[in-house]
Amino acid sequence: MDVSQIASLSTSLATAETADAVNITMLKKALDLQSSTMEGLLSALPPTLPANPNIGRNVNTTA
């Protein structure tokens, strides 16, 4: 390997490293956006109650 090839390899590795960092940052932002969107959707849902309020409130531990 001569000096020009080493310099070229170093530059291409640095460029790839920068591109990876940008991609990871964009992924984190996309995940944060999806998380906040889902929190909004879930908070907009009304609380669900069973048709009969007595059903599902007690646990039979002897059965």
Side-chain angles (χ1 to χ4, degrees), residues 29-44:
K29 287 184 179 184
L31 290 174
D32 288 342
L33 179 63
Q34 286 180 353
S35 174
S36 64
T37 302
M38 287 309 299
E39 285 175 1
L41 286 173
L42 291 175
S43 67

Side-chain angles (χ1 to χ4, degrees), residues 2 4-5 7 10 13 18 21 24 30 39 42-46 49 51 53-54 57-58 61:
D2 64 354
S4 64
Q5 288 177 337
S10 173
L13 285 175
T18 303
I24 289 172
E39 285 175 1
L42 291 175
S43 67
L45 290 174
L49 296 174
N54 295 324
R57 299 201 183 256
N58 300 323
T61 58

